[in-house]
Amino acid sequence: MKNDLFLLDPSIVFMNHGSFGACPRDVFDVYQNWQLEMERRPVEFLGRRSSSLLEGARKKLSEYLGADYKNLVFVTNTTTAINTIARSLKLEAGDEILTTDQEYGACDNAWNFVCSTWGAVYKPVHIPVPYPGDEIVLDIFLKTITPKTRIIYLSHITSTTALIFPIEAICRLARERGIITIIDGAHVPGHIPVHLEKLAADFYTGNCHKWLCAPKGSAFLYARPEHHETLHGLVISWGYSTGVTGHTSFDAYTGADTFIRRHQWQGTRDISAFLTVPAAIEFQEKHEWNMVRQRCHNLAIQTMHRFANLTRLPLSGPDNSFGQMVILPVPACDPELLKSTLYDKYKIEVPVTVFENQIFVRASFQEYNTEEDADTLIGALRDIFKLPSA
Ligand SMILES: Cc1ncc(COP(=O)(O)O)c(C=O)c1O
């Protein structure tokens, strides 16, 4: 691992950028400066300046994501955004939320909770691995839509299987049928390009703390204007009053925009991670991240092919269905033991996932990962599974 730009512990081979990201040194400095500034004048910072500071940061992020900045608000993480959307919906008994069987478990929990409240049906379609290709996946969706389908919810890049789903086509077919789309783009910002206004999903959320390398606790919620009135914060706060009772007002509590007013002020909290998002975008621009991303994608794909040549297990999908994260199918084993052995014995931080009884090592490749890291991972897996050397 090379470690000039990031703060990662060099004694660990870190191949799990996908779980919680990692923040570069320079970006982390900006983050800490915001925190210092807040502590020097807490009231000035949070009460008087936060609205305009956050607006500046939202504008920069919106520009990066091809969104109108009035349609986007910062949230702490994707889980919060999905909960915010799911818990604002007014469903009817029997309504169907069409999804896949490859969604992030915490968000599945949120949907199951909400569906049980309304008597609605959370309906996962099966997407096989090896990935059969975008056309077949679209066909699966088309065949599963019924007159009761109110919502299509799915990941843009999946967590367990690292696959890039054909979101543009799915949003288009949903729109043609008057179905609401909710896209979990937790892995997307900084990983693959997205233009939110062109995509025109009804709702979209993404993490800035993963592939954009912003500090932990920075994410966004995008909603098209027609949904602003019906979308309620998980925390009901000052943004819900027309005037401020018992206190003189702060700019942070008010504002003309319902969407921003309701979701931005969530009680006292540290907004430094949000304010650091522009620095993370500028950091990636400065370090020519388009080239970094391409190198990482190439290394990821090469690693996937090299490992498949050793195991003779089928590849999990076509090369262009993966970004900087790939899944390596491994022979049958205890997944927990595999994960702990890789970490304890080989000092490799890498997640082990399971889908349909197949166990995978999900390897992430970020700027700091080298060919040597790929060799280390393959060497360790060869050792553990007693695979031939070529
Ligand atoms: C597809 C997907 N959705 C949602 C999440 C949740 O992200 P967070 O923990 O930042 O809310 C993850 C986390 O890895 C994810 O992979």
Side-chain angles (χ1 to χ4, degrees):
M1 244 177 52
K2 65 191 188 83
N3 211 9
D4 46 340
L5 296 182
F6 284 78
L7 291 157
L8 291 161
D9 178 350
S11 68
I12 300 290
V13 178
F14 193 69
M15 303 194 75
N16 189 5
H17 195 91
S19 279
F20 306 121
C23 188
R25 205 180 301 277
D26 288 354
V27 178
F28 202 74
D29 282 347
V30 173
Y31 173 55
Q32 290 190 313
N33 279 337
W34 281 122
Q35 290 182 314
L36 269 177
E37 206 168 319
M38 178 169 62
E39 291 311 325
R40 278 164 45 84
R41 288 199 198 181
V43 175
E44 165 79 2
F45 191 85
L46 285 173
R48 297 191 189 91
R49 289 180 64 207
S50 68
S51 252
S52 60
L53 289 173
L54 285 166
E55 184 170 300
R58 283 195 293 115
K59 280 183 174 162
K60 178 79 186 176
L61 178 62
S62 302
E63 203 181 295
Y64 180 76
L65 297 167
D68 182 331
Y69 79 99
K70 293 193 169 165
N71 294 340
L72 183 143
V73 71
F74 283 110
V75 292
T76 314
N77 50 53
T78 298
T79 311
T80 301
I82 296 296
N83 270 272
T84 303
I85 302 161
R87 299 183 77 174
S88 295
L89 293 167
K90 295 214 172 357
L91 299 172
E92 282 175 23
D95 280 352
E96 290 176 357
I97 294 160
L98 198 55
T99 184
T100 81
D101 58 355
Q102 298 191 21
E103 298 310 315
Y104 187 66
C107 298
D108 282 335
N109 289 347
W111 283 114
N112 281 319
F113 177 88
V114 164
C115 285
S116 70
T117 313
W118 294 101
V121 184
Y122 189 55
K123 196 170 152 188
V125 294
H126 175 52
I127 310 288
V129 175
Y131 186 68
D134 292 349
E135 292 296 316
I136 291 180
V137 168
L138 280 178
D139 208 44
I140 293 173
F141 269 93
L142 274 172
K143 286 192 176 124
T144 330
I145 289 171
T146 75
K148 294 210 164 261
T149 309
R150 280 277 313 281
I151 291 163
I152 292 181
Y153 156 75
L154 79 164
S155 295
H156 197 161
I157 301 181
T158 64
S159 173
T160 327
T161 51
L163 288 164
I164 303 172
F165 280 155
I167 294 303
E168 290 81 5
I170 291 174
C171 284
R172 205 174 314 121
L173 75 84
R175 203 162 41 247
E176 286 162 6
R177 288 161 181 77
I179 298 167
I180 291 173
T181 44
I182 302 171
I183 309 299
D184 171 352
H187 285 277
V188 169
H191 193 167
I192 56 169
V194 67
H195 191 293
L196 292 177
E197 298 302 340
K198 280 192 195 149
L199 178 67
D202 289 278
F203 301 93
Y204 193 104
T205 170
N207 278 329
C208 303
H209 52 230
K210 288 189 193 281
W211 297 91
L212 196 55
C213 303
K216 312 279 175 284
S218 55
F220 68 87
L221 164 59
Y222 166 92
R224 289 188 56 77
E226 57 269 33
H227 300 297
H228 290 186
E229 277 299 326
T230 52
L231 198 61
H232 292 285
L234 291 177
V235 173
I236 304 299
S237 184
W238 285 115
Y240 277 75
S241 25
T242 42
V244 176
T245 47
H247 270 280
T248 50
S249 181
F250 277 126
D251 292 349
Y253 301 164
T254 55
D257 229 307
T258 314
F259 179 53
I260 306 303
R261 211 178 52 235
R262 283 184 183 171
H263 299 273
Q264 189 158 273
W265 186 265
Q266 301 269 290
T268 310
R269 59 175 171 166
D270 186 353
I271 58 168
S272 305
F274 303 155
L275 298 181
T276 310
V277 168
I281 295 170
E282 281 154 19
F283 172 88
Q284 294 201 340
E285 284 165 357
K286 179 176 158 200
H287 291 279
E288 302 192 66
W289 227 253
N290 282 338
M291 280 159 66
V292 170
R293 269 187 281 270
Q294 189 61 50
R295 179 187 72 78
C296 291
H297 169 72
N298 294 347
L299 186 54
I301 298 304
Q302 193 189 83
T303 307
M304 181 170 87
H305 284 268
R306 272 179 68 196
F307 190 63
N309 279 338
L310 295 181
T311 59
R312 303 283 164 201
L313 291 169
L315 291 168
S316 303
D319 296 354
N320 64 1
S321 291
F322 299 98
Q324 292 173 236
M325 247 184 351
V326 283
I327 45 167
L328 314 177
V330 296
C333 64
D334 173 349
E336 297 294 341
L337 183 63
L338 175 60
K339 185 179 168 190
S340 60
T341 307
L342 284 165
Y343 187 69
D344 297 337
K345 183 169 173 200
Y346 297 93
K347 300 278 172 265
I348 305 171
E349 181 73 85
V350 69
V352 174
T353 65
V354 185
F355 182 68
E356 285 198 299
N357 297 322
Q358 172 62 57
I359 297 163
F360 301 97
V361 168
R362 191 193 73 182
S364 290
F365 291 84
Q366 186 50 291
E367 188 274 345
Y368 46 81
N369 291 116
T370 58
E371 283 186 32
E372 205 187 336
D373 295 340
D375 291 345
T376 308
L377 178 63
I378 289 180
L381 292 172
R382 213 170 50 205
D383 208 17
I384 293 168
F385 291 104
K386 309 212 178 334
L387 298 169
S389 50

